[in-house]
Every structure is written in structure tokens, then in C-alpha cells.
Amino acid sequence: MEQKFRPVLLGSDLNVYGMARSFHEAYGLRSLAVSKTIYTATAGSRIIDFVLEPGLDNPERFLSKLREVKKAHPEETLLLVPCGDGYMKLLVKLQEQLRGEFAFNCPNPDVLDRLTLKDRFYEACDEFGFAYPRTQVLTGVADRERELDFPFPVVVKASNSIEYLKCDFPGKKKAFVAQDREEYLRIVTAIYSSGYPDSLTIQEFIPGDDAHMRVLNCYVGADGKVKLMALGHPLLEEHTPAGIGNYVAILSGCCDRTLLERMRSFLETIGWTGFANFDMKYDERDGQYKLFETNPRQGRSSYYVTAAGCNLAQWLAEDVIFHKEQPLTIQEKEHLWLQVPKGIVYRYLENGELLQKARELVRQGKWTNSLFYPPDLRPSRWLRLRANQLRHYKKYRLYYGKRGLEA
């Protein structure tokens, strides 16, 4: 089949597979994934071709490899889709050198910094009246004795995720919850003793379980106007040390019009373009959503948007490739997206009303596990994915609710 264009996805994780599936569903296209390695989500896929480059996080290698890809596909329009923060930052930095060789939609460097650098993001939140968790930044281990401006428990996480990945120590987690000052000091000491060179972000812990979270995926067209907004209600998160905070079950169709209008105005006013993903948590103490961060791309779990009827690949392609007019669409269809077996959700979802809703959607057939795409399920891939799914039962038994250093 002759392809109208070819999606070039940067990465190979669950986000990449969700986008590849979206492009295949919308246009019947095989995507090309340019990545440092191949992960379980994409391994053995028949809808993705791979180009591997171990040094892809180096700007020179990044630029060189993409130009090699373009040289190998001279007659095709290549649509570049970063599926990780690091890849998006490289694209933004090198966009003028890549423009004309690839089609893409990304913000300018200053706007990117304004939404992704914690201090600038919270300044923007103040300017636009958004609530966020009270936050302090530790500049180094010597700063650990400073008193915090808010009570325990607190969340401790590395401000520089790239450098943190290089560190290793007993009990390492993507993020920690310290219940008291003694535990907080142990966590900070352990992180800096591992050689971590940058600052730590300390935030107040917003009460509530996983189901108090909300996730918003948006697409802002090249004209600076928001085209798509999809507010999801996470039901359950991953609890493994490396995966804490990753959503594994999302209920689509929740629609807070007031919140969405404020977010639309925010994105258009600051001049964002491309995909944006916001994580927030509903705080029952004051009835406000507390914004945590912005990811400058579609979220890792963003296939929930496609599953509910708003194909993310179409919004990007219709804008950047086909240059079609797109009015604002707000996703309102109820659907259950999963990355784990249904039994995990039934066992660990604590909210009875939401559990009943999840069971009802499953009974109605309104649910999707994005990894199990029928046109892409050759036996070897199905067996690999099935084994991966079953391992989640052991992981939840070991790690559910354990977010301290020793846990």
C-alpha cells in the first residue's frame, strides 16, 4: 500500500504504541519508530518499523539520525511525533534545522520552558489563577535541614529526571511520599548519596487515592487555537518503584466545562502549539484541582482519547499534513481505558461508585486495552503481552501503597 505520509515516532514505549495504533486505525499506516531501544509495548509489532540509535539523546546524533531517516524516505512526507519529554526538547531546540525536511507541530523554546520548568510553570499558574501544591526546592544535600513551609506528609522527587535515571540506590523510586521529617531526611540523604547532582522538588501531599487524579490531553493547532480537549479520570496508577504515578486505568468522558475553558484560554494566551498533557489532583479540602505539571506532548496513557472516539493521530495529521479547519472538540463519550488486567482494577480500585461504573462499561463492551490491537496480535506478540499482563498481579501485591524509602 502506498502511504500518503509516514509517521515518525520518537521512542518505543506505551505512548509510541498508542500513537502507532491511532495512525493505523485512522489511515492504515505503518509508523516508523526511532528509538534507543525497543520496549515490551512495541516489541514484535507489525504496525511499526524500527530505527535504533543508542545515542539519540545527543543533539548531534539526534539530528544526524533523523536526516538519515529522511534520506531513506525521500519521496514521503514524514510526520515527526515526539513521544517523550527529552525528544520534544530536542525537536524544539533543533526545529529550524529540521523544518522543511519533516512536518511537525511544536512550541517555541521560551513557551516550552514556561510550561515545563517547574518555577516558570508555577509562576504561570499564579498569573492565570490555577491552584497547585505548595512547593519548595532543595538545591543540594546541605539544604535538607531547612524547615518546610507545609506539614507532612510530603512528596519528594528529582527535578532533573534525566540525571536521576543515572542514579541507583536501595529503595529508589520515581517519587517518594515521606510521612514525617525523619523519613524525609533519609530519602533526601539517600538520593544525594547516590550521586544525584541537581535539585529536588518537595511538595505537599494532596490527600486522596489514585482516583482523585485527573489527566487532560489537548491538541493546539499550528494556528494557536485549541482543537481538542479530553479530560480523563484516572482510576488506578502503577505502584512499582520506577512506575509510580503512571496511569493504568482511565475513565474518559468526565467534563468540567469551567476547568476546560480556563485551560483553553491558558494555552492560547501563552502561545502553545502541539500536544499538551496536564496532571492534576482534586483536593477535597478546598474543592480545587491542583495542577502538578505539564508534559509537552500527548501523555503516556493518551490512547484513552483515541479509544473514546477522538483519534489523536487525526487531529495532528488533519492539521499539519492536510491543513484542514478544525473546530474545538471536547471529548464526552464514556469509555474505560486499561493497561492492566480488569482483575487488577476490580481488586485495587477503592471507590465503590467508580468500581461499579468500570464494571458496567466492561459489561457493555466499552473498554480497551491499547496493547491488544487485533490486527497486530500475532501469536508471539500475544503471548508476550499476556505474560506481561499477568506479572501485574505480583507487582501490585508487592508494591501497592508503598511509597517510602524502605517500602
Side-chain angles (χ1 to χ4, degrees), residues 128-154:
F128 286 85
F130 291 111
Y132 56 90
R134 287 178 288 177
T135 303
Q136 285 185 221
V137 175
L138 263 63
T139 57
V141 68
D143 204 23
R144 65 180 179 172
E145 297 297 338
R146 179 159 55 99
E147 291 295 325
L148 300 178
D149 297 333
F150 38 86
F152 290 92
V154 299

Side-chain angles (χ1 to χ4, degrees), residues 104-251:
F104 53 85
N105 185 8
C106 70
N108 68 52
D110 183 68
V111 175
L112 178 74
D113 286 349
R114 193 172 184 194
L115 254 67
T116 58
L117 298 180
K118 283 287 193 294
D119 55 345
R120 295 197 64 188
F121 176 59
Y122 292 142
E123 286 174 4
C125 287
D126 287 333
E127 180 181 344
F128 286 85
F130 291 111
Y132 56 90
R134 287 178 288 177
T135 303
Q136 285 185 221
V137 175
L138 263 63
T139 57
V141 68
D143 204 23
R144 65 180 179 172
E145 297 297 338
R146 179 159 55 99
E147 291 295 325
L148 300 178
D149 297 333
F150 38 86
F152 290 92
V154 299
V155 178
V156 181
K157 53 189 174 183
S159 305
N160 188 329
S161 58
I162 295 174
E163 289 297 326
Y164 189 60
L165 281 173
K166 302 174 185 176
C167 301
D168 188 36
F169 56 92
K172 179 184 176 182
K173 293 179 175 63
K174 183 179 175 182
F176 296 90
V177 176
Q179 299 296 326
D180 52 40
R181 185 167 182 79
E182 181 182 351
E183 186 176 19
Y184 162 75
L185 291 174
R186 290 201 307 271
I187 291 168
V188 171
T189 301
I191 293 173
Y192 281 117
S193 296
S194 73
Y196 175 70
D198 212 333
S199 61
L200 297 177
T201 298
I202 316 300
Q203 291 183 322
E204 66 171 326
F205 177 77
I206 306 300
D209 61 9
D210 297 351
H212 283 70
M213 296 297 296
R214 301 292 187 275
V215 57
L216 175 64
N217 276 274
C218 303
Y219 180 73
V220 186
D223 63 359
K225 299 297 182 182
V226 176
K227 310 297 184 182
L228 173 66
M229 306 186 82
L231 183 63
H233 187 164
L235 304 182
L236 193 64
E237 296 180 1
E238 211 175 314
H239 284 253
T240 58
I244 286 173
N246 293 335
Y247 306 127
V248 297
I250 296 176
L251 174 65

